[in-house]
Every structure is written in C-alpha cells, then in structure tokens.
Amino acid sequence: MQALGKTTQTQNRKHTTMMNYENYDPSYPDQPVVDLYLQVWANLPAFRSKPAFVWVEDCSAIDAKSTLTYAQLNDSVQCIASQLLIPLQRGDTVVILCSPGLELVETIFGCQRAGLLSVPISPPDPSFTNQNFHHLIRALSQTKPKAAIAHPTYITSINHYISSSSSNKKLVHMLQSLHWISTVDIKAKDRKLQQSQLGPKFSPYKGCRAEDVYLVQYTSGATGIPKPVLVTAGSAAHNVRTARKAYDLHPNSVIVSWLPQYHDCGLMFLLLTIVSGATSVLTSPTAFVNRPRLWLELITQFRATCTPVPSFALPLVVKRGGIDKGTSPINLWSLQNLLIINEPIYRDAVEQFVNVFRTFGLNPSSISPSYGLAENCTFVSTAWRACSNDVPNMPSYNKLLPSARLGENDDELVDMDIIVVNEETHEAVEDGIEGEIWVSSPSNASGYLAHPTMTREVYYARLKNKVSRCFLRTGDRGVVKGDERYLFVMGRCADVIKRKNHEEIHPHYIETAAHNSSPGFLRAGCSAAFEISNTVVVVVEMQRSEKEIGVLRKICEGVRKGVAEEERVEVGMVVLVISGSVPKTTSGKIQRWAAKDKLIGGKMSVLMEMRFGDYGDSFSSFGTIIGESEGKVDYGGGRGGKTKVVVGEEREDIFLSFSSNGPLRPSLLSFL
C-alpha cells in the first residue's frame, strides 16, 4: 500500500508537469457521454499507466490485480462491449449482479460502450433466504432484462437454486428466463485476441448516445418502495461535469470511497473519476462498517484529496474509528473536499468530527455539505467553495448546515435552477419560509420506468400562474436563509409529522432527541419516529439486549421526557427493539415507512413497548394483546395518565403494568 502511495505521488508530479506544459484544461473538451472521456485519457501517453481505480480489501496487499490503469480499463471495457454484443443487441436491458469491486466497474462501463441499458443492483445471497430477494424480483419484473451478468460462482449457485425444490416459483421462473453471462467469459484472456478486437484507436464510437437511456437507477427507498429512475447517458455526463466543477476535481485528484457502487453517490463517483481523469481508491461498505478506521487509513496512505461520506458516518468514525488502536498513523492533511451527503447534516456532528481530527491534519475548510438525489442523477449542489469557508464561520439553521449557496452565480449553477415552493399552491415561497425543493437542470433524469402518471407529476412541475420551465419535484423540504441565500435541506415531505397545533416537525429531530436521552444504551442513527392515529411513536434500537425491566422502563421514560424537553413534542409510544431492527436503505437512510409497517405488522423484535397517555383501540393492530392494565405515573411535570408496558423477547410478548410508587407484580416478573 505504501509503495502504491509513492507511485501515486510520483505520477502526480508527472501530471503537474503535463498540466504546466500541455496547458491541460479540465473543462475542455467536454464529451457528450462519460465513456468517451475514458477513451481520451487512455490514448494520452501521460495517462495510459495512471491508475484509474484501485480496489482495497481490508488488510490485503496491493498488487496488479487490484489496480486498473486508464489503458487497462479502456481495453477491458472495449473487450467486454464486444463480447456482450454477441448474444445481445444494442438497446437490450441487462441486470448487473456483481459484488463491489473492479469487476463491477468494468462491467458498468462495458455496458455503456455496448449501448446496453444496464440495471446494477446488489446481488442477494443466492440461497434467497431471509426474504433478501424482494428487490431483485422488483427489478426483474419492472425492467424485464434479457440477460444477467454475474461471476461464474454466483451463476453456479443460481443454477443450484433453480434446480432445487424451491417453493418460490415466481422467482425461479424469472431466473430461468434470463440469459446468464459470466464476467469471466466476457473478459478476453489472450492479449492478442483482445487487441484484435479493439481495432483502430480512434474508431467511430458506437456506444450509448447522449439521448439514450443507459441506466436504470433505483431510488434509495427512504420514503417508499424504491422506484426505477431512467437516466440518459447525456444527463449523467452533465451531472458529473457539474460536480467536477463544483468540487474543483482534476487529474491530480485522488478519491477514496467506500459507498455502494450500484447507485447514487457511489456510482456517480465512478463516472466522476473518469470525467476528471482522477484516481479512485475503492473499498466495500462492509469493510468500512467492520473497521471504520480503514477509511482514515486509505485517506492517509493514498494522500486522498476528496472523499464522500454519509453524515451519519461521522459520529460513527469518532466513536469506533480506533484512532489510537491502529498500527499506522492517521494524517488527513491532503483532504481538500470532505463531502458530507445524506441530509440532515447536523452542525454539532460535523464540528465534533472536525475538532477530533483537526489534530490529525484535517483542514476545516475541506468540509463540503452537499445535496443530491437519484432523480437528478445524483448531484444537485454543495455549500462548499474553495478556500472560502470554515465550519465555525458557516451559518446554521435549526441545528443544520447548508447544502447550497443560491446567491452566487457560479459556473456550475448557470444551467441549474433551484427554488423552494409551497407544496399545496405550487407558488415560490419567500426566503425564510420552508417548502418543497424544486430543481430544473439538464441533469434531471427522464422519469420513472413504467410510471407515466408519477413521471408527469414529479418531473414536469410548473410554477402556478407563471411561465417557467419544467421542474423536478424532489420531495425534500428546504428553506433559504441569509444574504448569500444558503439552502438548508430540512427533511422529506413524506416524513413530516403534523402536530395538534398545526405546527410541523421533521422526525429526525425527535429521533436525535430520543438518542440523546440515553446515549449509553441507544444506538445512534438507528431510531424511527412517525405518526399512528395522531400519536407520535418512536422506535429505538438498543446497543445490547438489556433484560432488566427497571432499566428498560427508565429508558422509555427518558426518551419521552427528552423529546418533550428538547423538541416540545409529546411522544405517545416508545418501542425499544434489538439492534438491526430498524429498516435502512443501502446508503444508511432510515426507512420510517418500513419501520411503521413492521411495527403494525408485529414483525419488530421488541424488547419493550411503552404507551403513554390515553390510548384507545387504534393501537390494537400492533399484535395480539395478552393482557393490559392501567397505572398512574408521574413524569416530572405532575402529569398522570394511562400507561401500558409490553416486554418481548424474540417472539414472546409479556404485558406488564406498573406504578411509579410501587414495584412490578411478582407474578409477572416470574415470566422474565
């Protein structure tokens, strides 16, 4: 790893020389599709041996098999495209079921050069147990691919599943109807054969045109079932060019990313690397989760200048980063862009991260709060400007950092229009008033596959009583503040909780207050708040399976009290669940709608469920009630009410009643 770091440093000096003497301009010439940039770089002598992508497994050695130069990637992509067009035709749809790694990168670009419509999704375990196949069924049903590309080992497992006596006849039929293509078969092993297939260096380009839909990118599923977004090659190229300018990326840039490579930011950074002529060091999300310090080590070893990270990962790295436990030193001096994605972006969490890692060379001006969504390919905006902001000097609103500066007429925003609109009237609101964020940009995707009505409603919105271009309705709430017109992304429209006094609150505030009430017992970023029958419900994951009733009861009471004090919201029900119970997207966003469905359907692994105040029959759908009783409880404000406590262990449910002035009934304690 150190040797490769030295190699990268030497190459950077060469690139600097090239830029000085060849007058390299990263903005020229712009190409209509991303794949054409790859051909340009691969045919420049200074770039042929430059690493485009490096794959790192935790604690593994770096060798030739884990590195793809621009020339190697271009040759491999051309070979893959040629092989794919033997069983397939240009315009056919293929689903990509490759694990994270260089093979996935090659396949994604190979499909584009072949002119195919690709659907990259995370491959479920081929045993298809634990209900892990729903997204695959969804993707196959909606996109109707002719073929699936996967590693031969995965294909063997699929064939074994098909031949077994599976009860899921629908899935078996879908898998049988696909033409399975091995990643090994589409990569030529013989160099002479490979070169013969490539033809002239500058042969006419026959890959995806700018207007061609080349990618189906599924939304994260944060507010509903993931939807298939149709992305043209031209809109994707525009999006990453916009991001390149916004973050000032160039051939000297070194990117480190552990994000999933199938969609959104993880996929965008594959394209962004090629458009910028940069080098990307990649690893898997699993490697990061297992050892967050790996992310810091990669930044240090490769002298990374740019890295994207979800906002929820910052406190995780502070807590579990193992700063003092590793054998290699941490040095973050090289970072110029620490992209923070996944709203909300809390100022306190960012400041804590900066304060911890400032001593390790982190420059606070590298913090780049950003905003994006799948319907706009990915990137929308960032509040970062080179050498112009420091976290202590950045504004905040309601505890959050901004994700855009709308008051500046920068180059990357020339063809993009971002406005905040009243959701009901479709009229632009004044600065300082919260509303839905609308975006108009050449980066906008074409719509949702097989959803014409939804496409029309989301992608073709217009301001009321005003001649305007069409806007994309993002479904996100935002507010513009200050002279520089900072845009703060507050949360999602679908998740807003409406209170009895007609006020509204975003659930992440409730979830944060709930965690802060007992941070030693509750998992950070693993809570879900939502409404059921006008009652605020908070589901919180425990760090461990605590069985002491008194402790669980105090935690529930603390959650209710903490939310009331911090956010002035009355919580009607607190549910403590085991670790991993709260549903999340592949990028780590809380799926509150799914958590609500699981709770109502009795599918949560509940440790304790406590209801406060006057509850009625509206909660009877939560499961079979074995018994219930009432008790008076004082919550510090002199307020009493009906209380019901449910304690569960796996599938068992035991209902307990208690009084704040007396112990639990011994007869019920005997069940624990």
Side-chain angles (χ1 to χ4, degrees), residues 330-386:
I330 299 299
N331 196 330
L332 308 181
W333 64 270
S334 60
L335 271 183
Q336 299 171 12
N337 283 103
L338 199 166
L339 279 63
I340 305 175
I341 58 176
N342 281 16
E343 66 285 343
I345 302 174
Y346 277 87
R347 182 190 186 98
D348 287 348
V350 175
E351 285 188 333
Q352 182 188 27
F353 184 88
V354 169
N355 291 336
V356 169
F357 290 100
R358 190 193 296 264
T359 57
F360 293 86
L362 178 64
N363 186 344
S365 66
S366 68
I367 300 299
S368 309
S370 303
Y371 170 56
L373 70 161
E375 285 86 347
N376 190 61
C377 290
T378 294
F379 175 79
V380 173
S381 63
T382 179
W384 179 83
R385 296 294 182 270

Short mmCIF file of all heavy atoms in Angstrom, two decimals, residues 330-386:
data_model
loop_
_atom_site.label_atom_id
_atom_site.label_comp_id
_atom_site.label_asym_id
_atom_site.label_seq_id
_atom_site.Cartn_x
_atom_site.Cartn_y
_atom_site.Cartn_z
N ILE A 330 -2.44 8.24 11.31
CA ILE A 330 -3.51 8.90 10.56
C ILE A 330 -3.08 10.33 10.25
O ILE A 330 -2.68 11.07 11.14
CB ILE A 330 -4.83 8.91 11.35
CG1 ILE A 330 -5.29 7.48 11.64
CG2 ILE A 330 -5.91 9.67 10.58
CD1 ILE A 330 -5.55 6.65 10.42
N ASN A 331 -3.15 10.69 8.97
CA ASN A 331 -2.81 12.05 8.57
C ASN A 331 -3.76 12.48 7.45
O ASN A 331 -3.74 11.90 6.36
CB ASN A 331 -1.36 12.14 8.08
CG ASN A 331 -0.87 13.58 8.04
OD1 ASN A 331 -1.66 14.50 7.82
ND2 ASN A 331 0.43 13.77 8.24
N LEU A 332 -4.59 13.49 7.72
CA LEU A 332 -5.64 13.91 6.78
C LEU A 332 -5.31 15.25 6.13
O LEU A 332 -6.21 15.92 5.62
CB LEU A 332 -6.98 13.99 7.52
CG LEU A 332 -7.40 12.75 8.33
CD1 LEU A 332 -8.75 12.98 8.97
CD2 LEU A 332 -7.42 11.51 7.46
N TRP A 333 -4.05 15.63 6.12
CA TRP A 333 -3.66 16.94 5.60
C TRP A 333 -3.99 17.12 4.12
O TRP A 333 -4.18 18.24 3.64
CB TRP A 333 -2.15 17.15 5.79
CG TRP A 333 -1.32 16.18 4.99
CD1 TRP A 333 -0.88 14.96 5.39
CD2 TRP A 333 -0.89 16.34 3.64
NE1 TRP A 333 -0.17 14.34 4.38
CE2 TRP A 333 -0.16 15.16 3.29
CE3 TRP A 333 -1.02 17.35 2.68
CZ2 TRP A 333 0.41 14.98 2.03
CZ3 TRP A 333 -0.45 17.15 1.43
CH2 TRP A 333 0.27 15.98 1.11
N SER A 334 -4.05 16.02 3.36
CA SER A 334 -4.22 16.12 1.91
C SER A 334 -5.66 16.43 1.49
O SER A 334 -5.90 16.86 0.36
CB SER A 334 -3.78 14.80 1.24
OG SER A 334 -4.57 13.71 1.72
N LEU A 335 -6.63 16.22 2.39
CA LEU A 335 -8.04 16.37 2.02
C LEU A 335 -8.39 17.81 1.66
O LEU A 335 -8.16 18.74 2.43
CB LEU A 335 -8.94 15.91 3.16
CG LEU A 335 -9.33 14.43 3.19
CD1 LEU A 335 -10.29 14.17 4.34
CD2 LEU A 335 -9.96 14.00 1.87
N GLN A 336 -8.95 17.98 0.48
CA GLN A 336 -9.46 19.27 0.05
C GLN A 336 -10.99 19.30 0.03
O GLN A 336 -11.59 20.36 0.10
CB GLN A 336 -8.91 19.60 -1.35
CG GLN A 336 -7.40 19.68 -1.40
CD GLN A 336 -6.88 19.78 -2.82
OE1 GLN A 336 -7.64 20.01 -3.77
NE2 GLN A 336 -5.58 19.57 -3.00
N ASN A 337 -11.59 18.12 -0.11
CA ASN A 337 -13.05 18.00 -0.12
C ASN A 337 -13.48 16.81 0.69
O ASN A 337 -13.28 15.67 0.28
CB ASN A 337 -13.58 17.83 -1.55
CG ASN A 337 -13.60 19.11 -2.34
OD1 ASN A 337 -12.74 19.32 -3.17
ND2 ASN A 337 -14.56 19.97 -2.09
N LEU A 338 -14.08 17.06 1.84
CA LEU A 338 -14.73 16.01 2.61
C LEU A 338 -16.22 16.20 2.40
O LEU A 338 -16.87 17.00 3.06
CB LEU A 338 -14.36 16.10 4.10
CG LEU A 338 -14.59 14.83 4.93
CD1 LEU A 338 -13.88 14.95 6.28
CD2 LEU A 338 -16.05 14.52 5.16
N LEU A 339 -16.75 15.48 1.40
CA LEU A 339 -18.14 15.64 1.01
C LEU A 339 -19.05 14.97 2.03
O LEU A 339 -18.91 13.77 2.30
CB LEU A 339 -18.39 15.00 -0.36
CG LEU A 339 -18.02 15.80 -1.60
CD1 LEU A 339 -16.53 16.06 -1.66
CD2 LEU A 339 -18.45 15.03 -2.85
N ILE A 340 -19.97 15.72 2.58
CA ILE A 340 -20.93 15.18 3.54
C ILE A 340 -22.28 15.11 2.84
O ILE A 340 -22.85 16.11 2.43
CB ILE A 340 -21.02 16.05 4.80
CG1 ILE A 340 -19.62 16.22 5.40
CG2 ILE A 340 -21.95 15.41 5.82
CD1 ILE A 340 -19.58 17.15 6.58
N ILE A 341 -22.78 13.89 2.70
CA ILE A 341 -24.03 13.66 1.98
C ILE A 341 -25.05 13.04 2.94
O ILE A 341 -24.75 12.75 4.08
CB ILE A 341 -23.80 12.74 0.77
CG1 ILE A 341 -23.21 11.40 1.23
CG2 ILE A 341 -22.87 13.39 -0.24
CD1 ILE A 341 -23.03 10.39 0.12
N ASN A 342 -26.25 12.83 2.43
CA ASN A 342 -27.36 12.28 3.22
C ASN A 342 -27.83 13.25 4.30
O ASN A 342 -27.33 13.27 5.41
CB ASN A 342 -26.98 10.94 3.88
CG ASN A 342 -27.04 9.78 2.91
OD1 ASN A 342 -27.07 9.98 1.71
ND2 ASN A 342 -27.05 8.58 3.43
N GLU A 343 -28.77 14.09 3.91
CA GLU A 343 -29.37 15.00 4.86
C GLU A 343 -30.11 14.23 5.95
O GLU A 343 -30.53 13.09 5.69
CB GLU A 343 -30.32 15.96 4.14
CG GLU A 343 -31.56 15.33 3.52
CD GLU A 343 -31.29 14.55 2.25
OE1 GLU A 343 -30.23 14.74 1.64
OE2 GLU A 343 -32.14 13.75 1.88
N PRO A 344 -30.32 14.76 7.13
CA PRO A 344 -29.89 16.10 7.57
C PRO A 344 -28.41 16.11 7.98
O PRO A 344 -27.88 15.10 8.42
CB PRO A 344 -30.78 16.36 8.79
CG PRO A 344 -31.00 15.00 9.37
CD PRO A 344 -31.09 14.07 8.20
N ILE A 345 -27.78 17.27 7.81
CA ILE A 345 -26.37 17.43 8.17
C ILE A 345 -26.32 18.31 9.42
O ILE A 345 -26.45 19.53 9.35
CB ILE A 345 -25.58 18.07 7.02
CG1 ILE A 345 -25.71 17.21 5.76
CG2 ILE A 345 -24.11 18.22 7.41
CD1 ILE A 345 -25.07 17.81 4.52
N TYR A 346 -26.14 17.66 10.57
CA TYR A 346 -26.13 18.37 11.84
C TYR A 346 -24.79 19.06 12.07
O TYR A 346 -23.73 18.45 11.92
CB TYR A 346 -26.42 17.41 13.00
CG TYR A 346 -27.88 17.13 13.22
CD1 TYR A 346 -28.53 16.12 12.54
CD2 TYR A 346 -28.62 17.91 14.11
CE1 TYR A 346 -29.88 15.86 12.74
CE2 TYR A 346 -29.97 17.66 14.32
CZ TYR A 346 -30.59 16.64 13.63
OH TYR A 346 -31.93 16.39 13.83
N ARG A 347 -24.87 20.33 12.45
CA ARG A 347 -23.65 21.10 12.68
C ARG A 347 -22.82 20.51 13.81
O ARG A 347 -21.59 20.42 13.71
CB ARG A 347 -24.02 22.55 13.00
CG ARG A 347 -22.80 23.46 13.20
CD ARG A 347 -23.17 24.82 13.75
NE ARG A 347 -22.00 25.68 13.78
CZ ARG A 347 -21.70 26.58 12.86
NH1 ARG A 347 -22.50 26.74 11.82
NH2 ARG A 347 -20.61 27.32 12.95
N ASP A 348 -23.47 20.09 14.90
CA ASP A 348 -22.74 19.57 16.05
C ASP A 348 -21.92 18.35 15.68
O ASP A 348 -20.76 18.20 16.12
CB ASP A 348 -23.71 19.22 17.18
CG ASP A 348 -24.27 20.45 17.87
OD1 ASP A 348 -23.74 21.55 17.62
OD2 ASP A 348 -25.25 20.32 18.63
N ALA A 349 -22.49 17.44 14.88
CA ALA A 349 -21.78 16.23 14.49
C ALA A 349 -20.55 16.56 13.64
O ALA A 349 -19.49 15.95 13.80
CB ALA A 349 -22.71 15.29 13.73
N VAL A 350 -20.71 17.53 12.74
CA VAL A 350 -19.58 17.94 11.89
C VAL A 350 -18.50 18.62 12.72
O VAL A 350 -17.31 18.34 12.56
CB VAL A 350 -20.07 18.87 10.76
CG1 VAL A 350 -18.89 19.39 9.95
CG2 VAL A 350 -21.06 18.14 9.86
N GLU A 351 -18.91 19.51 13.62
CA GLU A 351 -17.94 20.20 14.46
C GLU A 351 -17.19 19.23 15.37
O GLU A 351 -15.98 19.37 15.58
CB GLU A 351 -18.63 21.28 15.29
CG GLU A 351 -19.00 22.51 14.50
CD GLU A 351 -19.49 23.64 15.39
OE1 GLU A 351 -20.02 23.34 16.49
OE2 GLU A 351 -19.36 24.82 15.00
N GLN A 352 -17.89 18.24 15.89
CA GLN A 352 -17.23 17.23 16.72
C GLN A 352 -16.19 16.48 15.92
O GLN A 352 -15.07 16.25 16.39
CB GLN A 352 -18.26 16.26 17.29
CG GLN A 352 -17.65 15.20 18.22
CD GLN A 352 -18.64 14.13 18.63
OE1 GLN A 352 -19.60 13.86 17.90
NE2 GLN A 352 -18.43 13.51 19.78
N PHE A 353 -16.54 16.09 14.69
CA PHE A 353 -15.59 15.39 13.83
C PHE A 353 -14.38 16.26 13.54
O PHE A 353 -13.23 15.78 13.60
CB PHE A 353 -16.28 14.97 12.54
CG PHE A 353 -15.43 14.15 11.62
CD1 PHE A 353 -15.39 12.78 11.75
CD2 PHE A 353 -14.68 14.75 10.61
CE1 PHE A 353 -14.60 12.01 10.90
CE2 PHE A 353 -13.89 14.00 9.76
CZ PHE A 353 -13.85 12.62 9.91
N VAL A 354 -14.63 17.51 13.20
CA VAL A 354 -13.53 18.43 12.88
C VAL A 354 -12.63 18.62 14.09
O VAL A 354 -11.39 18.61 13.97
CB VAL A 354 -14.07 19.78 12.38
CG1 VAL A 354 -12.96 20.82 12.30
CG2 VAL A 354 -14.74 19.61 11.02
N ASN A 355 -13.21 18.80 15.25
CA ASN A 355 -12.41 19.03 16.47
C ASN A 355 -11.54 17.82 16.80
O ASN A 355 -10.40 17.97 17.27
CB ASN A 355 -13.32 19.36 17.65
CG ASN A 355 -13.99 20.71 17.51
OD1 ASN A 355 -13.48 21.59 16.81
ND2 ASN A 355 -15.14 20.89 18.15
N VAL A 356 -12.07 16.62 16.56
CA VAL A 356 -11.30 15.41 16.85
C VAL A 356 -10.16 15.24 15.87
O VAL A 356 -9.03 14.90 16.26
CB VAL A 356 -12.22 14.17 16.82
CG1 VAL A 356 -11.38 12.88 16.87
CG2 VAL A 356 -13.19 14.20 18.00
N PHE A 357 -10.42 15.50 14.58
CA PHE A 357 -9.42 15.19 13.57
C PHE A 357 -8.62 16.39 13.09
O PHE A 357 -7.76 16.25 12.21
CB PHE A 357 -10.10 14.49 12.38
CG PHE A 357 -10.55 13.10 12.71
CD1 PHE A 357 -11.88 12.85 13.01
CD2 PHE A 357 -9.65 12.05 12.74
CE1 PHE A 357 -12.30 11.57 13.33
CE2 PHE A 357 -10.06 10.77 13.06
CZ PHE A 357 -11.39 10.52 13.36
N ARG A 358 -8.87 17.55 13.68
CA ARG A 358 -8.04 18.71 13.35
C ARG A 358 -6.58 18.45 13.71
O ARG A 358 -5.65 18.85 13.00
CB ARG A 358 -8.56 19.95 14.07
CG ARG A 358 -7.90 21.26 13.60
CD ARG A 358 -8.23 22.38 14.58
NE ARG A 358 -9.65 22.68 14.63
CZ ARG A 358 -10.23 23.65 13.94
NH1 ARG A 358 -9.48 24.41 13.14
NH2 ARG A 358 -11.52 23.87 14.04
N THR A 359 -6.39 17.76 14.84
CA THR A 359 -5.03 17.44 15.27
C THR A 359 -4.36 16.40 14.37
O THR A 359 -3.15 16.19 14.47
CB THR A 359 -5.03 16.91 16.72
OG1 THR A 359 -5.89 15.76 16.79
CG2 THR A 359 -5.55 17.97 17.67
N PHE A 360 -5.15 15.75 13.51
CA PHE A 360 -4.61 14.78 12.56
C PHE A 360 -4.48 15.38 11.16
O PHE A 360 -4.37 14.66 10.17
CB PHE A 360 -5.49 13.53 12.50
CG PHE A 360 -5.49 12.73 13.77
CD1 PHE A 360 -6.37 13.05 14.80
CD2 PHE A 360 -4.59 11.68 13.96
CE1 PHE A 360 -6.37 12.32 15.98
CE2 PHE A 360 -4.59 10.96 15.14
CZ PHE A 360 -5.47 11.28 16.16
N GLY A 361 -4.49 16.71 11.10
CA GLY A 361 -4.24 17.39 9.84
C GLY A 361 -5.46 17.79 9.05
O GLY A 361 -5.33 18.35 7.95
N LEU A 362 -6.67 17.52 9.55
CA LEU A 362 -7.88 17.85 8.80
C LEU A 362 -8.06 19.37 8.74
O LEU A 362 -8.08 20.05 9.77
CB LEU A 362 -9.10 17.21 9.46
CG LEU A 362 -10.45 17.51 8.79
CD1 LEU A 362 -10.50 16.93 7.38
CD2 LEU A 362 -11.60 16.97 9.63
N ASN A 363 -8.21 19.87 7.53
CA ASN A 363 -8.46 21.30 7.33
C ASN A 363 -9.97 21.54 7.36
O ASN A 363 -10.70 20.99 6.54
CB ASN A 363 -7.89 21.74 5.98
CG ASN A 363 -7.98 23.24 5.78
OD1 ASN A 363 -8.71 23.94 6.48
ND2 ASN A 363 -7.25 23.75 4.81
N PRO A 364 -10.47 22.35 8.31
CA PRO A 364 -11.92 22.58 8.40
C PRO A 364 -12.53 23.12 7.11
O PRO A 364 -13.70 22.91 6.84
CB PRO A 364 -12.05 23.60 9.55
CG PRO A 364 -10.81 23.38 10.37
CD PRO A 364 -9.74 23.03 9.39
N SER A 365 -11.72 23.81 6.29
CA SER A 365 -12.26 24.37 5.04
C SER A 365 -12.53 23.30 3.99
O SER A 365 -13.09 23.59 2.93
CB SER A 365 -11.30 25.41 4.46
OG SER A 365 -10.09 24.81 4.05
N SER A 366 -12.15 22.05 4.28
CA SER A 366 -12.43 20.96 3.34
C SER A 366 -13.85 20.43 3.47
O SER A 366 -14.33 19.68 2.61
CB SER A 366 -11.44 19.81 3.55
OG SER A 366 -11.66 19.17 4.80
N ILE A 367 -14.55 20.79 4.55
CA ILE A 367 -15.90 20.29 4.77
C ILE A 367 -16.83 20.78 3.66
O ILE A 367 -16.95 21.97 3.40
CB ILE A 367 -16.43 20.75 6.14
CG1 ILE A 367 -15.53 20.20 7.26
CG2 ILE A 367 -17.87 20.30 6.34
CD1 ILE A 367 -15.47 18.68 7.32
N SER A 368 -17.50 19.84 2.99
CA SER A 368 -18.33 20.16 1.82
C SER A 368 -19.73 19.58 1.98
O SER A 368 -20.05 18.52 1.45
CB SER A 368 -17.68 19.58 0.56
OG SER A 368 -16.33 19.94 0.45
N PRO A 369 -20.61 20.26 2.73
CA PRO A 369 -22.00 19.79 2.83
C PRO A 369 -22.66 19.80 1.45
O PRO A 369 -22.56 20.79 0.73
CB PRO A 369 -22.66 20.82 3.77
CG PRO A 369 -21.52 21.54 4.43
CD PRO A 369 -20.40 21.52 3.45
N SER A 370 -23.31 18.70 1.08
CA SER A 370 -23.81 18.56 -0.28
C SER A 370 -25.21 17.96 -0.29
O SER A 370 -25.66 17.39 0.70
CB SER A 370 -22.86 17.69 -1.11
OG SER A 370 -21.55 18.23 -1.10
N TYR A 371 -25.85 18.08 -1.45
CA TYR A 371 -27.23 17.61 -1.60
C TYR A 371 -27.38 16.95 -2.97
O TYR A 371 -26.83 17.42 -3.97
CB TYR A 371 -28.18 18.79 -1.47
CG TYR A 371 -29.63 18.50 -1.83
CD1 TYR A 371 -30.34 17.48 -1.21
CD2 TYR A 371 -30.29 19.26 -2.80
CE1 TYR A 371 -31.66 17.21 -1.54
CE2 TYR A 371 -31.61 19.02 -3.13
CZ TYR A 371 -32.29 17.98 -2.50
OH TYR A 371 -33.60 17.73 -2.82
N GLY A 372 -28.13 15.87 -3.00
CA GLY A 372 -28.40 15.20 -4.26
C GLY A 372 -29.52 14.19 -4.13
O GLY A 372 -29.98 13.88 -3.03
N LEU A 373 -29.96 13.65 -5.26
CA LEU A 373 -31.00 12.62 -5.28
C LEU A 373 -30.95 11.89 -6.60
O LEU A 373 -30.45 12.41 -7.61
CB LEU A 373 -32.38 13.22 -5.04
CG LEU A 373 -33.02 14.09 -6.12
CD1 LEU A 373 -34.53 14.17 -5.88
CD2 LEU A 373 -32.44 15.51 -6.11
N ALA A 374 -31.46 10.67 -6.60
CA ALA A 374 -31.38 9.80 -7.77
C ALA A 374 -32.10 10.40 -8.97
O ALA A 374 -31.69 10.22 -10.12
CB ALA A 374 -31.95 8.43 -7.45
N GLU A 375 -33.20 11.11 -8.73
CA GLU A 375 -34.00 11.67 -9.83
C GLU A 375 -33.25 12.76 -10.60
O GLU A 375 -33.65 13.12 -11.70
CB GLU A 375 -35.32 12.23 -9.30
CG GLU A 375 -36.35 11.18 -8.94
CD GLU A 375 -36.21 10.64 -7.52
OE1 GLU A 375 -35.15 10.89 -6.88
OE2 GLU A 375 -37.13 9.97 -7.05
N ASN A 376 -32.17 13.28 -10.03
CA ASN A 376 -31.33 14.26 -10.72
C ASN A 376 -29.97 13.64 -11.04
O ASN A 376 -28.95 14.31 -11.03
CB ASN A 376 -31.16 15.53 -9.88
CG ASN A 376 -30.50 16.66 -10.65
OD1 ASN A 376 -31.03 17.12 -11.66
ND2 ASN A 376 -29.33 17.10 -10.19
N CYS A 377 -29.96 12.35 -11.30
CA CYS A 377 -28.75 11.52 -11.47
C CYS A 377 -28.07 11.32 -10.13
O CYS A 377 -27.88 10.21 -9.69
CB CYS A 377 -27.79 12.11 -12.48
SG CYS A 377 -28.40 12.03 -14.16
N THR A 378 -27.69 12.35 -9.45
CA THR A 378 -27.25 12.32 -8.05
C THR A 378 -26.99 13.72 -7.55
O THR A 378 -27.69 14.23 -6.70
CB THR A 378 -25.96 11.48 -7.87
OG1 THR A 378 -26.23 10.11 -8.15
CG2 THR A 378 -25.49 11.55 -6.42
N PHE A 379 -25.97 14.39 -8.10
CA PHE A 379 -25.52 15.67 -7.55
C PHE A 379 -26.48 16.80 -7.88
O PHE A 379 -26.95 16.92 -9.01
CB PHE A 379 -24.13 16.01 -8.10
CG PHE A 379 -23.61 17.36 -7.68
CD1 PHE A 379 -23.07 17.55 -6.43
CD2 PHE A 379 -23.70 18.44 -8.55
CE1 PHE A 379 -22.60 18.80 -6.04
CE2 PHE A 379 -23.23 19.69 -8.18
CZ PHE A 379 -22.68 19.87 -6.92
N VAL A 380 -26.77 17.62 -6.86
CA VAL A 380 -27.55 18.84 -7.06
C VAL A 380 -26.72 20.06 -6.70
O VAL A 380 -26.56 20.99 -7.50
CB VAL A 380 -28.85 18.83 -6.24
CG1 VAL A 380 -29.55 20.20 -6.33
CG2 VAL A 380 -29.79 17.74 -6.75
N SER A 381 -26.14 20.08 -5.50
CA SER A 381 -25.45 21.28 -5.05
C SER A 381 -24.52 21.00 -3.89
O SER A 381 -24.57 19.93 -3.27
CB SER A 381 -26.47 22.35 -4.63
OG SER A 381 -27.23 21.87 -3.52
N THR A 382 -23.69 21.98 -3.58
CA THR A 382 -22.84 21.95 -2.39
C THR A 382 -22.70 23.37 -1.86
O THR A 382 -22.77 24.33 -2.64
CB THR A 382 -21.45 21.36 -2.69
OG1 THR A 382 -20.66 21.38 -1.50
CG2 THR A 382 -20.72 22.16 -3.76
N ALA A 383 -22.51 23.50 -0.56
CA ALA A 383 -22.30 24.81 0.04
C ALA A 383 -20.82 25.16 0.07
O ALA A 383 -20.44 26.23 0.52
CB ALA A 383 -22.87 24.84 1.46
N TRP A 384 -19.96 24.25 -0.41
CA TRP A 384 -18.51 24.45 -0.34
C TRP A 384 -18.02 25.35 -1.46
O TRP A 384 -18.49 25.28 -2.58
CB TRP A 384 -17.82 23.09 -0.43
CG TRP A 384 -16.32 23.17 -0.40
CD1 TRP A 384 -15.52 23.25 0.69
CD2 TRP A 384 -15.44 23.14 -1.54
NE1 TRP A 384 -14.21 23.27 0.32
CE2 TRP A 384 -14.12 23.21 -1.05
CE3 TRP A 384 -15.64 23.08 -2.92
CZ2 TRP A 384 -13.01 23.21 -1.89
CZ3 TRP A 384 -14.54 23.08 -3.76
CH2 TRP A 384 -13.25 23.14 -3.24
N ARG A 385 -17.07 26.19 -1.12
CA ARG A 385 -16.33 26.96 -2.12
C ARG A 385 -14.87 26.92 -1.74
O ARG A 385 -14.52 27.08 -0.57
CB ARG A 385 -16.81 28.42 -2.18
CG ARG A 385 -18.25 28.58 -2.65
CD ARG A 385 -18.40 28.13 -4.11
NE ARG A 385 -19.77 28.32 -4.57
CZ ARG A 385 -20.72 27.42 -4.46
NH1 ARG A 385 -20.46 26.27 -3.86
NH2 ARG A 385 -21.92 27.63 -4.92
N ALA A 386 -14.00 26.71 -2.71
CA ALA A 386 -12.58 26.52 -2.45
C ALA A 386 -12.01 27.66 -1.61
O ALA A 386 -12.13 28.84 -1.94
CB ALA A 386 -11.82 26.42 -3.77
#
